[in-house]
Amino acid sequence: MKPAHTITGLITDLTISLVLAIIPLSLLHPELMLSANLPTGGDMASQIFGAKIFVTDIFPQGKLSAWLPEVFGGFPFLSYYFPLPFITMALLAKLLSFAVAFKVTAMLGIIVLPAIVYGVGRFLGFHRLSALAGSLGALCFMLHEQHSIWGGNLLSTLAGEFAYSYGMVFSVITLAVWSRGIKDGRYWVLGGCLEVLVGMSHGYALLVTGFTTTAFLFQTGRFKANFLYLVRTHSLAVLLLGFWLWPLIETGPYITPNDSPYLLNNWQDILPMTVRPVLIAGLLAIFITPLIPNVRRGWTTDRIDHALLFLFGGVIALVGWFASERIGLADIRFFPYAWLMGCVVSGWFFGNLLERLIITLPARGLAGIGLLFLTLGFLSLEVRQAPHWTLWNHSGLESKVMWPTLEQLFPKLKGDLNSPRLVFEHDPDNNDLGSTRVLETLPMFLGGRPVLEGLYMESAPLGPVIYQLQSEISARPSSPLSQFPSGSLDPVRAALHMAVLNTQDILVRSDNAKKELTKSGLYEIIGGSPPFEIYRLKDFSNSYVTPINGPVSVTGRQNWKEKSFAWFQKLKSPDDPPLAFLTPQQTQERQGLAWPEPTGIERIQAVSGVTIERERIRFTTSAIGVPHLIRFGFNPRWQSKNGETIYLVSPGYMMVVPAHREVELFYGSTKVMRWGKIASVLALFFILGYGLFFVLQRRGQHLIEETHRSNSRFSRRWWLIRLTAIPLLLMACGGLYFQSPKRVYQRGHQYFRSQKYEEAARYFDQAFAGRHVKAQKEEALFWAARSLDLDDQKEEAAQRYRLLTEEYHAYWVPESLYRLAMIDESLDRPDQVAVGLDRLRQEFPRNRWTMLAEQIHGR
Amino acid sequence: MRTRIFPAIRISVAVMWLLLPASGFAGTLDFKIVPAGETLIRVEQAGNDTAYRATIYSLTAGWNWLQLSPSGASRNNISPVWPPGIRHHYVLPDADKNQRPLLIVFHDKSGITFSKLIRLTGTDPAWPDGLQAKRRDSGDLVVSGSLPTFPSGLRYGLLQPVDSALAALKTTFTANRPPIAPLLVTTGATTLKTKPMNNLWFYCEWQNATNQEKSELQWATLFFPGTKESIMGGIPYWLSPRIWFSLGGASLAAALAITIMTLLKNRPAHPSSPMTERNG
C-alpha cells in the first residue's frame, strides 16, 4: 500500500467518523451544552450533586470514591457505581466550567458511539461501506425511542444513564481488540486495560463483554491457546481493577439489588421502530450472502469470526435478559446489547452485500452517501422526543418554571452537615423544576444540609426505610425499591420515622399532603413559596449520636435488610432500641453478654460536641461502655480511631460502644481494599515493564506491517457450522423464556384479567415457586391467593393469605390480613377474624385496608 | 470515469425529481406524531388578517403537543394540514395545572389588534378567572390581572399592550434566566406572510426593538422546544426527511447506475463469439 493511499484512506476514515459524530451532536444543542446552566432531566438532575462533590472534593484528593453524608443518611459514593465518567468530568472541569464539563461528559458516549463503531469496523478489516453500515446500525439503535430507562440510547442517556453509554463504547472497542488479537496472541495487555475501562464504565458492560469472550473457546482447534489468552487478559483486568472491584465484591451484601423484572407490554418493546429495518436488512443480507458467490467472497474467515463474536455478544445479552430474574440482576440492562450487537452485525452484512454488488470505488462512495442519507431521512421521521429532551435538559435547571419559586425557600432551608436532615415529598409535578429528582440535589444549594433521598438508592443501607418515610409524607410516593414496597400517606407514622432518621423538616408540594400534615397537628409551617411549603416537626431534637435507650437485641446478619425494614415498620417510639446484626465473629466475642443501658441522666446529657465531616464523625461521651447509636448508614469501611468495633444495627445504622470519652470514627479501608490497591499497583508496574520490554525488543527492527491477515475465503461448511450455533443459543434463550417466572407471572395476570381464576392461580403459584426475591414471591403469592379467593376456593386462598401474613412483611400484608379476615368471617371463625383485625389495627393503623375492615366490622 | 459519472448524475437527478414531488409524504407522516387525542383547547383567531388556530393535543406520558396550523393562503378555510415538508409542533414541558401555556399573539406592524391568553385546561374561550379584557380606543385588546394558580413570578403585567408586555418579557429573559413559565410568543398573520416559516416561532417583531432586546428574547428559544428542529423535523434538522430520502435514493441510484454501466462496459466477450475464437 502506498503511503499516499494510506493518508487518503485515513483522511476519508476521519471524515466519515467526524460526520458520524456530528449527527448525534446536532441533536444535543451544542450551544446550550456550552452554557453555564446546570443540566436537568430524569436522573441527570440528581447526578449533578454527586458529580459536583467528586469534581471539587473527592478527585482533587486523589480518591475515586468517598462517603457522601448529604444524602441517604450517608452512603459510599462510587463504590458501587462507576467512576470513569466522573473521572472524565473532573479532568474536563480543569479546562471548562463544571456545568459544561458535566454536559459534555454526559453526552460523550452518545456522541462518539457511531464513530467508534465505524472505527472498530475498519480495525477489524471491514470495507468502508460495511463499517459505515455497521455504524449506521448503531446510530439507529442509539436513536430509538421505545424506552428511556433501558440504557444505551439517547433518551436513556438524557435520563441520566450516561455511564451505560460509556460501557457500550468500551465494550465494542474491547471486543474488537480481542477479536483481532487472539488469533496470534497479540493485544492481550491492551485488551486487559480496555476491560478495566469497561468495568469502570458500567457493570453490565463488564458482564456482557466478559461472558462474550467465552465464544473464543469454541473456535476450532484453538481452545488451549485461546483459554490461556483469556486467562492472561482477564487476570490482568481483575488485578488492575483490584482497587475498586475487590471492595465492591467484598461489601456487595450491603447493596439492595435493583432486580425488578420488566414486564413486556407488547412486541414493540423488544423491537423498537428504528431497529427494525436494520435487523431486517441484516437478516436479508445474511440469507442472500451464501447465494451469490461474489458476495460470499467478501466474507473472509476473520470477518466471519468478528461478526460472530459480536453476534454472540448479543446472544449473551439475551441470555442475561432471560436469566436475570434468577440471578438477581436488572433484565433491562442486558437487552440494549442485543440491539446494539444485532444492529452492528446487520450493518456489516448489509454493507458487505452493497460493497460486493457495487463494484467501483466512486459507486461505493455514492452508495455509502446514499445509505447515510436514507438512514438520516428515516431517523428524522422517527426521532420525535430526543430534540425536545435535549433542549429541556441542556437549557438547564435555572430556566425551569418553578426554579425561582423553589430558590426563594433556600434561606429557610439552609444548613450544614451537622443540621438535621430534610425530607421532601415525592410529587410528579416537580418535573416543572426540571425533573422529579431535582430536590435530591438540594444539598448543593443548602450549604451541604443533608436530605434523605438521593440517586444511588441501591448503594444506600438506609434506602428502604427512607423510601418508606417518603411514602408516608407523599400523596403520590415513588416506591422505587421492588424488594421493599413502601406505604402510603401517614403523617403520624412519618413523625415517628422522621425522629428515627433525624429529620426535622418536610418540603411539601401537594395539597393533599399539606392537608394531612396540618390535620395531624404534629407539624408547624415555617415557610413557603407556593406551591411549596415547609413543615417542621414540632417535638424534635437534633441528635446524630445518642446513647441507646434500652436493651439491644442481637441477631445474625443474614437478611438484615428485611429485618431492619420490619423493625422500622413496627416501631412504637423513636427511642426503641435497635436490633444489632452481628457477624459470627462478633457473636462469638459477645458470648451472649448484654450491653449496659444508660442511666437516666446519661440518656439526656451523655453526648456532646458531635461534629460531622464528610468522612469523619467526632463526639464526646460520658456514657463509656454504653452502646451509642450513630445515625448514619453502616459500611464496613467505617472504623473507630480508638479501635472499638462498629456494629450494624437497624435500620441500617452504625453502633459503637465507646471505650473512651473522645470518640472519632472515620471512613477508612478494609483489608480487601488494601490488597486490591496493592494488586492494582503491581499490575500497573507489570504493564510498564511489559511496555518497556516490548519497546526494547522491537528497537532496531523494521516495523512490520500487519502480516497476519487471514484471507481464507468463505466456505459453505464453515458458514453453516457457525451460523447454526446462533440459533442453538437462541433456542436456549427461548427455553429460558418459557421457564421464566416473569413470563409465568404475566400469564397468570392474563388469565386473571380474563376471569379464569383457577388457571391464574396455577400460574401465580408457579411464579411464587420460581421467584427468588422475597417481595416478588410475596406478590405472586398474593395474586395466587386472590385468584383462589375469587374462584371461591376459600380454604385454599386462606392458606396462602396466612402464609403471606406470617412469612412476609411488605406491601401485600395489610390487604392479605383484610382478605383473610373476610374469609374467616365467611367461614364463621370469629377468633381468627379478631386476630387479623387486631394486627391490622396495631401494625397498619391508618392503612386503607384497616379502615375498610373497621367500616365493615363496625357495620 | 467521466462517462460513467455524468449519466449517473442524470439518473440520480431524475430519481430525485421523482421522489421530491411525492409530497404529503413528510407532511402526512408528520401528523402521525400527533395522536387523535383529546383536544383540550382550540383557539380560533377571528381577526380578519389572522388565519391560524392553535390546538393543543394531549399526549400520553404527560407531554402535550401544541400544534399551530397557519394557513395564510386560505384564511377563511383554516386547514389543519401544514404545507408539505414543514412540521410545526411544540412540546410543552409538562401539562399539569401549574404549567398552563400562554399563547400571546402580538399585533404586527400594521397595527391589527389581537391578543389572547389561553388556558390549557379550559375549553371555554372566555377569559380565565382573574383576568379582565378591555378593548382600548386604538383597538388593542388589553388583558390584565393575575392568575392565582400561576407561579407568582408570572403575575406581572401579562398581556398588556404589546409594548409593556414586551417590556415584561424583557425583564424576564435575562441572560441566565430564561422565562419562568411556558410562554409562547408569536406574531400576527402579516408577519407570518412576510417572514420565513422557520421564524414563526418566537419571532417577535416589534416596533423600535433594539438588537439588544432581540438578543435577549432569543432566550425564549432556550426554554421552548419548537424552533428549528421542530419545524424541520427530527435530525439533522437543516433538511426535511423528504430531502434526505431524495438525496439518498439518488445517490444509491447513481451508484447502481455506475455499477451497471461498468459491468456493461467490461462485459466479457461471449465464448462462442468470433473474437473469442480468434483469441483462442
Side-chain angles (χ1 to χ4, degrees):
Chain A
M1 189 179 283
K2 290 177 187 173
H5 286 179
T6 311
I7 290 167
T8 312
L10 190 67
I11 290 170
T12 311
D13 285 338
L14 284 175
T15 309
I16 294 172
S17 302
L18 193 66
V19 169
L20 288 167
I22 286 172
I23 294 168
L25 188 65
S26 73
L27 281 166
L28 298 176
H29 291 277
E31 77 285 2
L32 296 183
M33 285 173 74
L34 298 175
S35 81
N37 285 5
L38 291 165
T40 183
D43 291 357
M44 202 74 94
S46 189
Q47 294 270 25
I48 51 176
F49 170 62
K52 179 78 176 174
I53 298 289
F54 185 84
V55 167
T56 56
D57 194 2
I58 302 171
F59 193 69
Q61 291 180 43
K63 294 195 287 187
L64 295 182
S65 66
W67 187 254
L68 214 61
E70 291 95 334
V71 286
F72 281 129
F75 81 102
F77 177 55
L78 295 187
S79 289
Y80 308 118
Y81 200 69
F82 314 103
L84 187 64
F86 295 91
I87 297 170
T88 314
M89 204 177 291
L91 293 173
L92 273 180
K94 293 189 184 302
L95 305 170
L96 308 165
S97 71
F98 169 72
V100 178
F102 186 100
K103 285 181 270 190
V104 171
T105 306
M107 293 299 126
L108 200 56
I110 282 291
I111 294 168
V112 301
L113 182 66
I116 290 288
V117 171
Y118 175 78
V120 157
R122 297 291 292 143
F123 175 73
L124 292 177
F126 286 96
H127 186 273
R128 280 195 187 90
L129 200 51
S130 302
L132 177 67
S135 65
L136 292 177
L139 183 71
C140 287
F141 150 72
M142 207 178 79
L143 295 180
H144 86 77
E145 297 191 341
Q146 187 70 30
H147 304 286
S148 58
I149 55 163
W150 289 33
N153 61 335
L154 176 55
L155 292 190
S156 301
T157 308
L158 288 167
E161 294 179 36
F162 50 83
Y164 196 97
S165 56
Y166 275 64
M168 279 197 149
V169 166
F170 285 112
S171 176
V172 167
I173 299 174
T174 310
L175 286 177
V177 166
W178 278 332
S179 190
R180 204 172 118 172
I182 202 163
K183 288 266 160 80
D184 47 8
R186 287 184 303 165
Y187 305 143
W188 70 272
V189 173
L190 178 62
C193 293
L194 285 167
E195 194 177 7
V196 170
L197 298 180
V198 175
M200 288 174 72
S201 298
H202 208 274
Y204 286 84
L206 187 63
L207 285 174
V208 173
T209 311
F211 281 107
T212 301
T213 58
T214 53
F216 292 125
L217 301 178
F218 299 104
Q219 283 184 346
T220 321
R222 294 196 51 87
F223 178 81
K224 193 179 166 190
N226 287 0
F227 177 74
L228 290 174
Y229 181 95
L230 291 181
V231 167
R232 272 187 294 168
T233 194
H234 286 319
S235 302
L236 180 64
V238 168
L239 289 173
L240 277 171
L241 274 173
F243 75 98
W244 180 75
L245 186 65
W246 295 13
L248 184 149
I249 295 168
E250 181 201 11
T251 57
Y254 299 98
I255 303 174
T256 306
N258 178 4
D259 56 359
S260 49
Y262 183 89
L263 300 177
L264 293 174
N265 298 314
N266 49 48
W267 65 272
Q268 286 100 326
D269 267 352
I270 52 169
L271 272 181
M273 187 57 207
T274 58
V275 168
R276 278 176 232 165
V278 181
L279 296 182
I280 290 168
L283 280 173
L284 276 175
I286 286 173
F287 287 110
I288 291 172
T289 298
L291 306 176
I292 306 174
N294 190 37
V295 178
R296 225 161 53 204
R297 278 194 289 275
W299 282 97
T300 63
T301 50
D302 275 359
R303 286 181 187 169
I304 292 174
D305 282 343
H306 300 322
L308 282 179
L309 178 74
F310 276 71
L311 213 51
F312 191 79
V315 176
I316 286 289
L318 284 181
V319 173
W321 158 269
F322 288 117
S324 54
E325 201 179 359
R326 294 159 200 270
I327 53 180
L329 292 169
D331 50 8
I332 55 170
R333 296 281 177 265
F334 284 103
F335 213 97
Y337 281 88
W339 285 324
L340 175 68
M341 301 299 182
C343 286
V344 170
V345 175
S346 294
W348 286 345
F349 271 93
F350 188 72
N352 178 68
L353 183 70
L354 274 185
E355 175 206 332
R356 305 302 291 185
L357 290 179
I358 295 169
I359 52 177
T360 65
L361 199 60
R364 282 177 185 164
L366 276 173
I369 292 169
L371 200 59
L372 174 70
F373 286 173
L374 288 177
T375 309
L376 291 179
F378 169 66
L379 287 174
S380 62
L381 289 172
E382 295 304 326
V383 176
R384 304 285 179 210
Q385 301 177 59
H388 309 296
W389 282 41
T390 51
L391 194 59
W392 177 256
N393 277 27
H394 293 157
S395 59
L397 201 60
E398 296 87 343
S399 75
K400 298 301 177 280
V401 184
M402 295 305 282
W403 184 252
T405 310
L406 184 71
E407 268 184 325
Q408 290 174 22
L409 294 175
F410 290 171
K412 280 269 180 211
L413 294 170
K414 258 193 165 40
D416 58 32
L417 271 181
N418 293 280
S419 308
R421 296 180 180 119
L422 166 74
V423 63
F424 42 81
E425 182 190 10
H426 175 83
D427 192 332
D429 284 352
N430 284 337
N431 200 41
D432 57 15
L433 288 164
S435 155
T436 52
R437 308 201 75 156
V438 163
L439 299 177
E440 293 167 11
T441 209
L442 276 180
M444 203 166 133
F445 305 97
L446 302 182
R449 180 183 180 176
V451 298
L452 281 186
E453 271 185 68
L455 180 61
Y456 306 101
M457 58 190 82
E458 297 89 353
S459 310
L462 293 168
V465 295
I466 284 172
Y467 284 108
Q468 173 64 27
L469 172 57
Q470 183 234 69
S471 71
E472 290 161 355
I473 57 141
S474 304
R476 291 181 285 175
S478 61
S479 193
L481 296 171
S482 66
Q483 296 197 25
F484 299 96
S486 33
S488 51
L489 193 59
D490 188 343
V492 179
R493 299 288 296 166
L496 175 64
H497 289 153
M498 281 174 70
V500 173
L501 293 171
N502 201 38
T503 305
Q504 189 177 21
D505 296 332
I506 316 176
L507 182 61
V508 189
R509 174 158 183 166
S510 76
D511 292 341
N512 201 6
K514 286 174 197 167
K515 200 175 87 187
E516 290 294 318
L517 288 168
T518 308
K519 206 167 77 180
S520 73
L522 297 166
Y523 309 87
E524 59 183 336
I525 298 171
I526 60 159
S529 172
F532 299 104
E533 268 177 5
I534 308 167
Y535 284 72
R536 176 160 284 179
L537 189 58
K538 282 178 182 167
D539 186 16
F540 178 85
S541 70
N542 181 18
S543 48
Y544 278 112
V545 181
T546 46
I548 292 173
N549 186 15
V552 177
S553 306
V554 167
T555 180
R557 199 163 276 191
Q558 203 178 11
N559 296 330
W560 69 268
K561 271 177 280 193
E562 287 81 2
K563 291 175 193 167
S564 283
F565 193 61
W567 173 88
F568 191 74
Q569 285 185 314
K570 291 175 186 171
L571 270 179
K572 297 276 183 284
S573 146
D575 295 328
D576 281 0
L579 284 172
F581 306 108
L582 305 192
T583 61
Q585 193 192 342
Q586 287 170 345
T587 311
Q588 207 173 10
E589 283 167 8
R590 292 292 315 147
Q591 293 177 334
L593 293 173
W595 283 294
E597 292 177 39
T599 60
I601 195 80
E602 280 176 344
R603 280 174 197 164
I604 306 161
Q605 293 182 351
V607 176
S608 60
V610 179
T611 314
I612 314 293
E613 293 169 25
R614 177 167 309 290
E615 296 190 333
R616 207 165 289 273
I617 299 166
R618 292 192 191 90
F619 63 92
T620 306
T621 180
S622 59
I624 295 168
V626 173
H628 284 56
L629 185 66
I630 317 292
R631 294 180 197 268
F632 282 96
F634 175 87
N635 189 277
R637 285 178 65 180
W638 277 98
Q639 290 156 35
S640 164
K641 204 172 175 185
N642 299 328
E644 293 105 335
T645 305
I646 295 180
Y647 297 94
L648 166 65
V649 296
S650 58
Y653 279 152
M654 296 186 274
M655 182 184 87
V656 66
V657 185
H660 302 84
R661 275 183 64 84
E662 302 297 327
V663 182
E664 183 174 329
L665 310 182
F666 64 97
Y667 188 63
S669 303
T670 64
K671 211 177 273 180
V672 173
M673 194 176 176
R674 286 191 286 274
W675 279 110
K677 280 181 182 167
I678 292 169
S680 299
V681 171
L682 287 177
L684 268 179
F685 276 123
F686 167 78
I687 291 170
L688 288 175
Y690 183 85
L692 198 63
F693 172 75
F694 191 73
V695 170
L696 289 175
Q697 198 188 36
R698 302 215 8 153
R699 180 176 286 176
Q701 291 181 8
H702 291 293
L703 269 177
I704 302 164
E705 282 197 15
E706 186 187 345
T707 51
H708 176 84
R709 179 163 292 205
S710 169
N711 281 321
S712 51
R713 295 288 176 183
F714 183 98
S715 80
R716 278 174 199 272
R717 190 168 145 265
W718 183 256
W719 181 258
L720 286 173
I721 288 171
R722 300 201 167 202
L723 268 187
T724 47
I726 303 292
L728 282 176
L729 277 167
L730 289 175
M731 279 164 65
C733 286
L736 277 170
Y737 170 71
F738 283 106
Q739 292 300 315
S740 155
K742 181 166 60 181
R743 179 191 156 271
V744 171
Y745 179 76
Q746 262 184 313
R747 292 281 287 170
H749 273 295
Q750 280 169 5
Y751 279 111
F752 190 87
R753 282 194 295 270
S754 326
Q755 300 185 349
K756 294 176 180 169
Y757 297 120
E758 195 171 358
E759 290 91 337
R762 206 172 57 242
Y763 277 103
F764 287 130
D765 277 340
Q766 267 185 50
F768 170 70
R771 284 181 155 182
H772 298 285
V773 176
K774 211 167 176 188
Q776 289 170 11
K777 283 180 88 72
E778 179 188 326
E779 181 185 49
L781 184 59
F782 171 81
W783 286 109
R786 186 74 186 124
S787 303
L788 291 165
D789 193 356
L790 290 169
D791 199 45
D792 220 21
Q793 300 184 47
K794 298 293 182 192
E795 282 294 356
E796 291 284 308
Q799 199 185 342
R800 284 163 182 75
Y801 283 134
R802 196 158 286 123
L803 176 66
L804 194 154
T805 53
E806 285 166 6
E807 300 287 326
Y808 297 87
H809 55 74
Y811 182 81
W812 298 102
V813 174
E815 186 174 349
S816 298
L817 281 168
Y818 165 79
R819 300 222 177 265
L820 183 60
M822 293 301 108
I823 290 177
D824 284 335
E825 197 163 73
S826 70
L827 296 176
D828 201 20
R829 296 192 287 229
D831 293 349
Q832 295 192 18
V833 173
V835 170
L837 291 180
D838 277 353
R839 200 176 148 195
L840 267 176
R841 282 186 202 113
Q842 280 175 17
E843 292 181 22
F844 312 97
R846 295 175 63 86
N847 191 283
R848 70 188 179 103
W849 295 106
T850 311
M851 293 177 187
L852 196 61
E854 296 287 10
Q855 276 175 16
I856 293 170
H857 197 66
R859 195 173 58 203
Chain B
M1 183 64 72
R2 193 183 178 84
T3 53
R4 271 180 255 150
I5 286 178
F6 283 115
I9 289 173
R10 281 202 294 275
I11 292 169
S12 55
V13 169
V15 171
M16 204 169 0
W17 277 109
L18 278 175
L19 288 173
L20 272 172
S23 63
F25 177 41
T28 310
L29 284 177
D30 287 347
F31 267 82
K32 80 178 180 182
I33 61 165
V34 181
E38 181 193 1
T39 301
L40 293 173
I41 189 163
R42 172 166 297 175
V43 176
E44 301 269 351
Q45 298 216 338
N48 284 339
D49 68 337
T50 308
Y52 60 94
R53 62 183 176 183
T55 310
I56 299 170
Y57 291 92
S58 68
L59 191 71
T60 53
W63 291 74
N64 273 14
W65 300 76
L66 172 73
Q67 187 174 349
L68 279 188
S69 303
S71 178
S74 55
R75 62 180 60 169
N76 295 319
N77 180 23
I78 297 166
S79 162
V81 181
W82 286 98
I86 298 174
R87 68 175 84 170
H88 288 231
H89 57 251
Y90 171 73
V91 181
L92 296 171
D94 196 355
D96 68 285
K97 281 178 277 181
N98 289 308
Q99 281 197 292
R100 296 168 188 182
L102 301 176
L103 174 65
I104 305 177
V105 183
F106 291 114
H107 66 72
D108 52 34
K109 283 180 184 173
S110 65
I112 303 298
T113 58
F114 198 89
S115 301
K116 200 163 190 175
L117 180 140
I118 57 169
R119 281 203 300 183
L120 180 65
T121 49
T123 51
D124 185 354
W127 297 108
D129 296 340
L131 287 179
Q132 298 86 42
K134 185 184 170 190
R135 194 170 292 278
R136 291 186 347 180
D137 294 338
S138 63
D140 283 348
L141 189 67
V142 182
V143 183
S144 59
S146 64
L147 288 171
T149 51
F150 272 144
S152 55
L154 255 184
R155 288 182 187 160
Y156 54 83
L158 277 180
L159 293 189
Q160 304 212 344
V162 171
D163 291 345
S164 55
L166 282 174
L169 286 173
K170 198 174 72 176
T171 56
T172 313
F173 301 171
T174 53
N176 277 318
R177 188 55 49 82
I180 54 171
L183 195 64
L184 315 185
V185 183
T186 185
T187 58
T190 309
T191 313
L192 278 186
K193 281 184 229 163
T194 54
K195 298 295 171 190
M197 292 301 283
N198 60 1
N199 283 334
L200 165 66
W201 279 103
F202 313 115
Y203 188 91
C204 261
E205 183 165 351
W206 64 96
Q207 289 171 332
N208 304 321
T210 63
N211 287 337
Q212 174 65 21
E213 285 167 329
K214 282 181 179 172
S215 70
E216 284 170 358
L217 272 170
Q218 295 295 317
W219 282 94
T221 62
L222 288 189
F223 189 77
F224 299 114
T227 47
K228 288 180 193 170
E229 79 286 355
S230 292
I231 289 162
M232 299 312 248
I235 57 144
Y237 46 74
W238 53 89
L239 283 180
S240 77
R242 194 156 47 95
I243 305 285
W244 286 122
F245 279 123
S246 303
L247 290 173
S251 305
L252 273 183
L256 279 174
I258 292 173
T259 302
I260 292 164
M261 280 184 286
T262 310
L263 285 173
L264 289 174
K265 194 178 173 188
N266 299 335
R267 187 173 53 175
H270 194 275
S272 61
S273 72
M275 181 72 83
T276 312
E277 282 172 6
R278 265 203 306 278
N279 289 342

